[in-house]
Amino acid sequence: MDRMWRRIGRIVLVTGLWSAVAAQAEIPKETYEALKLDRSASPQQLYEALVKRYKDPAEGAGRGSHAQYWKPIPFSKYLDPHSFYKPPATVKEVASREDCVKCHADESPVWVSSWKKSGHANLDRIRQLAPSDPTFYKKAKLEEVEANLRSLGKLGAGEALKEVGCIDCHVDVNAQGRANHAADLRMPTADVCATCHVQEFAERESERDTITWPNNEWPKGRPSHALDYKANVETTIWAGMPQREIAEGCTACHQNQNKCDTCHTRHEFSVVESRKPQACATCHNGIDHNNWEAYSLSKHGKITEMKGSEWNWSMPLKDAFAKGGQTAPTCQTCHMEYQGKFSHNMVRKVRWANYPSAGGVAANITSAWSEKRLEAWVKTCTQCHSESLARSYLELMDKGTLQGLAKYQEAHKVVEKLYADKLLPGQTTNRPAPPPPDKEGVAQFFQLFWTQANNPSSIEFEVIEMGENDLAKLHVGLAHVNPGGWTYTEGWEPMNRAYSKIMSEDTKLRAMASLQERVAKLETRRTSLLEPSDGATRASLGGLGGALLLAGGAALAIARRRGKDAD
Amino acid sequence: MDRMWRRIGRIVLVTGLWSAVAAQAEIPKETYEALKLDRSASPQQLYEALVKRYKDPAEGAGRGSHAQYWKPIPFSKYLDPHSFYKPPATVKEVASREDCVKCHADESPVWVSSWKKSGHANLDRIRQLAPSDPTFYKKAKLEEVEANLRSLGKLGAGEALKEVGCIDCHVDVNAQGRANHAADLRMPTADVCATCHVQEFAERESERDTITWPNNEWPKGRPSHALDYKANVETTIWAGMPQREIAEGCTACHQNQNKCDTCHTRHEFSVVESRKPQACATCHNGIDHNNWEAYSLSKHGKITEMKGSEWNWSMPLKDAFAKGGQTAPTCQTCHMEYQGKFSHNMVRKVRWANYPSAGGVAANITSAWSEKRLEAWVKTCTQCHSESLARSYLELMDKGTLQGLAKYQEAHKVVEKLYADKLLPGQTTNRPAPPPPDKEGVAQFFQLFWTQANNPSSIEFEVIEMGENDLAKLHVGLAHVNPGGWTYTEGWEPMNRAYSKIMSEDTKLRAMASLQERVAKLETRRTSLLEPSDGATRASLGGLGGALLLAGGAALAIARRRGKDAD
Amino acid sequence: MDRMWRRIGRIVLVTGLWSAVAAQAEIPKETYEALKLDRSASPQQLYEALVKRYKDPAEGAGRGSHAQYWKPIPFSKYLDPHSFYKPPATVKEVASREDCVKCHADESPVWVSSWKKSGHANLDRIRQLAPSDPTFYKKAKLEEVEANLRSLGKLGAGEALKEVGCIDCHVDVNAQGRANHAADLRMPTADVCATCHVQEFAERESERDTITWPNNEWPKGRPSHALDYKANVETTIWAGMPQREIAEGCTACHQNQNKCDTCHTRHEFSVVESRKPQACATCHNGIDHNNWEAYSLSKHGKITEMKGSEWNWSMPLKDAFAKGGQTAPTCQTCHMEYQGKFSHNMVRKVRWANYPSAGGVAANITSAWSEKRLEAWVKTCTQCHSESLARSYLELMDKGTLQGLAKYQEAHKVVEKLYADKLLPGQTTNRPAPPPPDKEGVAQFFQLFWTQANNPSSIEFEVIEMGENDLAKLHVGLAHVNPGGWTYTEGWEPMNRAYSKIMSEDTKLRAMASLQERVAKLETRRTSLLEPSDGATRASLGGLGGALLLAGGAALAIARRRGKDAD
């Protein structure tokens, strides 16, 4: 009887709270539609629908379609725990909630000291927040978390969550008993975090639904954090390359699909940290997507560097400018914003997707799909700028990107033609096939990471980088208002450097082929005059091509025949 | 009667105040001479003389001498408002001082929230500063500003400036009425800021007068912030290149001549910000003038990074070390200093001007002109170092720079010789002329930003970058005491890399030419046996490509004939 | 009598204190053994033994074995004061302790203002520290310093050190009289600092003893700070290159052997500063050992950037995590740690020494020597991570490094073969010898810093950088958990870029040689019709240049003759 009443009470309570929460939620309607739920769905319903999809290999979970080509290394279990993590067989301890903390304070002390600073270890501090505190919003968040747990049957109706300790994430949320390291331990994946943080997980997972490209310029739901592991394992060269320790370097960033702690570093899980632009920097930097470098050199980034210590980073993003004193944008205030609201979906305004050379992206840039997203950007920029400035700058960005693209395409054609003419160094004599699932082709992405003998030629490498790296940086420089980033240091000047290399190399390769032909002609004609063809000499002609020998041979045959005909 | 007295009073007051202020002013005598004023000139006289010169196209204002070659893009109005800004025709509102703030708090909220933090919005806070406050100096500055406005007739004798709001900068200082967006709005240029900040403007404008090169190594008054837009529009490739959105990336930095807000970011206009080295970083970085990278990797920069949070950045530069606790230099403490005083003229100690390859600069480095500037540097360095250390280091810097220059010159001669010998790939067959106003030439600056077919060859690109970029970075590394910056990471090692490429390429191009000649001889001599020498064919053998095909065709024709003859 | 008692008292006191101190000391036993001391040695004994070795040219002090090849420049006196510093002859002042400060407050004010912030200028503040103060440990340190000075006879038994001022370091510790600038001034070297800081000096000097390589993969005691100047002057190209101002850029970092102030910047000597990762950055960055870039882009580095301002940097390293609140590692917490203790010996866990291509290092990586060091790393990492994560990551690091090494070795063989075949551009015609003590060879380190004519060829430069720079960065990226640092931006992709360049160049050089041979054969065979084969001419045809001219000449002679013959 008592139990029945508790249960009824729980349902009432949960429903009531959830409605309130859901009203504020930034989960896009596309996701409710994809999951076949409506907004009145309970946390449990939402959680279960999300997790079902999340764990479904057909929806991008796990090793992907090239699984036959690659093997995990020991470290892989930390990058894709669902596929590879096994509890440590050698650790025999069976431990209670308190034992975890006590023992690991010696074993791995910074785990414990970081956690002790976290909200997880200080739920009561959150409960006692005064409305005047900038972090007062956390109190509502905690209530929402408890409502989620109650909906999932993991917390009693009147029960308060005491703490989130080791055992909650690594064994089971609100676990009461003792856990066996060798059997019960889990490496928390995003769905584990979702047990409490349904909304944030749903926002993140909504990236799958909101970035559906009009002409499949990119695969559905990509590029995004939600499917970044899938993007990784579906990349042919990633799967095929023999150097697995190098390859797992890619995964070291492409693991957001699997885990939340690349942005919310364990075990402090500081939101202040995750609001700072540096939180994105470890992955979003470098030769092919220098977002961090471009931003941090821009005036936006430099103001953040100079003035950021005066801003109140405890404010949630929506209050960062108005109440936090922020006077320049961060990664988060631009990329997590959509129509004035902030969420963990970072791809709702994606237009160029960092890679202007990706097939169809440029052609799509003036489509209605893209225009709608451009309008959303205008709204973002007008937080700090006039509409006129925003529009004229975004136009500059688009046009500048197209100018870079044209340069790249011009150079690419030259390399393609060389390949068609079989003139790349060693192309016909010493160009091994790439490891499967990759296949022979000119100027392929795989050639940046797999090279053997004359595959690829240096001129191909040049043009691949021109598109994958230089052009990407040109666009990123434009997008982040870093002038040297599209004009001189990165972008245009390096693209012209590459272009000049490609054109000089083209001219030289063709000059060489021409000269080789002339020499072959001299050899052939002479031979026919004076003596039988010298097979041994011809066979050693080396580097150059069987093709040329063949050509030479053909010429010889023609010359002979002609001699006859002329008779 | 009353009015007359007010006017007299105003004159007395203004004169008195101005004298006091002028006594402290750091405006160099060269500027008074250039403007044909003496130091007793009133703010109005000074302002008017400065602004007249500032707006004079003959003195560097506006689109420059290549205006016929280029068109502005929509964003250009923010880079050169004098030439291109038009108020937004679509915005119909007519607004009062208060309306601006109220409406834009919704329209572009960070404008308003930034401004609310500024001194502009808090003049009374400045008036109430206690003498013990490190920013007490601002009180005198405000009085100076009011004196300026009175001198210009923009403030009554007894009138205090209430605030500097949107309307003051964007319509008219101390405007009292309502303004029409579509008609009255202006985009503030440096002369607008000068209405209040005459002294700072005069200091900045004095760069035109204090950097007159003894042998015109650089144009008068350059390089400087005061004429950086002129430098931009007078650059032939900037004017000639068709990619205007790329080109305006240059202008994004080269706009200091036109505006003050690249250092004093709108709308907070924080002096603390403008005193931090990052304020200079967005422009002074990168492949051709890596000042920021060199400084921030140097011990100077790293101390600032490590200890800067303990320093009081509210102190004016002159007190930064003594009272602000600063223990390492910033861009500002070295480059804004001259003979112990600080001003907005940053070029009084310029000797190498970042570009050791610029004509005549190296030869001038031991001139009396340069020596005087070296002595000023010694004085700068001895704030923190012994004279002996300063002198020996500056000697190291000069000699190291000359060593880099010699390496560059050696490589340049090799490329020049190839050009003279017509041996650059495609030089005689496929080298289109650059867009005007640029002209054909070997290893030209324009070739970094405009490439087509075989103009330039990759070896030219290499040697241009060696001088424009690697040598510049070598010098900048030396100048900012970043050891890896002149020795290995940047500077010397990259210059040797480029040198080795140029020398190998030279050897290979000449070997190829030699072989082509030998083959041509073989072809010709054979012909000479049989028929008169074919002068036309031989004359085209210097070029490759098409010419070679022709030669091939000729050879074929000869072969045919020979078949006959042999019969 | 009184004096005798004082002396006895002093001995008792010193011995007592020293024992206590020595018990805590982190000086490795290897050093006591090397110095033939036991742990009961007095500070004086330890100091004298250390300094004797430190100043011994046979043990690495001074100009080194290539001294005949190079001359110091004026600035060298600041890099190796023992060898080159002379007091300034032009400064005549004879000054007391107080005079120094007074006069230099005008002469070089930041010396004085920095010093005034230092512990050196505030010994009494240290004496009054409360046990609750995080810097209370400094009180014991001060007592240890005084014990050292008493042991060395530089402080009376009951005497307290009043301050450490200019004169103490620049003339003599606890000097009482007046000093003559022109005669008495010294530039403090590490042994001067050691007068007070015996333990720290001993720790640093212990690097000589703890990094003895099992198969002399590196010279004894290197790489280390303790012998970094020796490493510099023993580098043949450093000694041989004519550009001394460039060369001294190397020394600007390689001076830790001689001085302490590259980490402990004069004159504040802030320990807070020396605990921050930026303290290492000015030297440990760049193309060949990008430790700073790799760390600062890693999550470790970025957390430090985001959260470091909340940590208490006043804590000594041993308390940084537990009491200082640190939640991510710095250079110092990993590299100064060994078996849970922290010292100035930073090489006890060195395994790869940054340079996987260094001879024997890779082969040694699974030796017992290396395994012991790997275990020490596991202990370091488990401060924050599980043992399983640590071991699997370190395995990833080792294997990834070996994958990079294999790629480098493959390319290196191709270049070696070209050299053996005399096919490098200009190899036989225009390849001058390097300056002594360097000698001719293929793909040598010296070629990065000395280039002339065709020494080295660009393909050699490519492969040297592949090993010295790209492979080093690949390893450093792995070691500092910067994914882009070993996968794409640095490391693997650039190594594949270099590989493709080397393979294409190899193919092209061999094609050219082949064609030259064919042409020579055509020229010769033609001759053979008419006259005996010209063996001498043919033998030199592999080389270019002069040989080709000869061949051309020969061909001309033949043509003439043929003309005649044909008549």
Side-chain angles (χ1 to χ4, degrees), chain B residues 4 136 256 259 262 419:
Chain B
M4 194 192 77
F136 182 66
N256 295 288
K259 299 165 79 220
T262 47
Y419 185 75

Side-chain angles (χ1 to χ4, degrees), chain C residues 103-122:
Chain C
C103 192
H104 278 285
D106 291 334
E107 284 292 308
S108 48
V110 189
W111 279 4
V112 177
S113 61
S114 298
W115 168 74
K116 281 189 174 165
K117 295 170 143 193
S118 73
H120 286 162
N122 295 284

Side-chain angles (χ1 to χ4, degrees), chain A residues 168-329:
Chain A
D168 299 291
C169 304
H170 287 280
V171 178
D172 194 19
V173 178
N174 207 14
Q176 300 302 332
R178 299 165 69 87
N180 181 344
H181 279 78
D184 303 331
L185 222 60
R186 67 180 173 187
M187 192 52 49
T189 43
D191 57 303
V192 170
C193 305
T195 320
C196 296
H197 300 286
V198 186
Q199 184 184 328
E200 288 78 6
F201 182 62
E203 288 168 12
R204 206 281 302 263
E205 289 291 287
S206 75
E207 294 188 335
R208 296 167 180 252
D209 308 309
T210 57
I211 191 165
T212 307
W213 293 79
N215 306 301
N216 300 313
E217 287 81 357
W218 281 69
K220 183 174 176 293
R222 283 162 53 189
S224 72
H225 288 132
L227 287 172
D228 68 350
Y229 185 71
K230 178 178 162 79
N232 197 52
V233 298
E234 294 295 347
T235 299
T236 45
I237 187 56
W238 184 89
M241 68 190 284
Q243 296 83 1
R244 300 314 306 162
E245 278 71 18
I246 303 294
E248 292 290 23
C250 306
T251 327
C253 284
H254 280 267
Q255 57 163 313
N256 295 287
Q257 178 178 336
N258 300 336
K259 300 165 80 217
C260 298
D261 67 350
T262 46
C263 307
H264 300 278
T265 326
R266 63 194 187 281
H267 290 99
E268 184 172 347
F269 302 101
S270 157
V271 282
V272 164
E273 179 190 316
S274 65
R275 278 174 201 138
K276 292 198 168 175
Q278 291 92 341
C280 312
T282 300
C283 295
H284 288 278
N285 73 73
I287 199 167
D288 61 328
H289 44 42
N290 62 334
N291 315 74
W292 170 249
E293 293 89 334
Y295 168 75
S296 65
L297 271 174
S298 77
K299 197 49 99 172
H300 290 161
K302 284 289 171 253
I303 292 176
T304 304
E305 214 176 312
M306 292 184 282
K307 303 290 284 183
S309 65
E310 300 171 16
W311 303 344
N312 185 353
W313 295 89
S314 293
M315 286 290 173
L317 291 176
K318 69 181 175 63
D319 297 324
F321 293 120
K323 300 186 188 163
Q326 197 169 314
T327 50

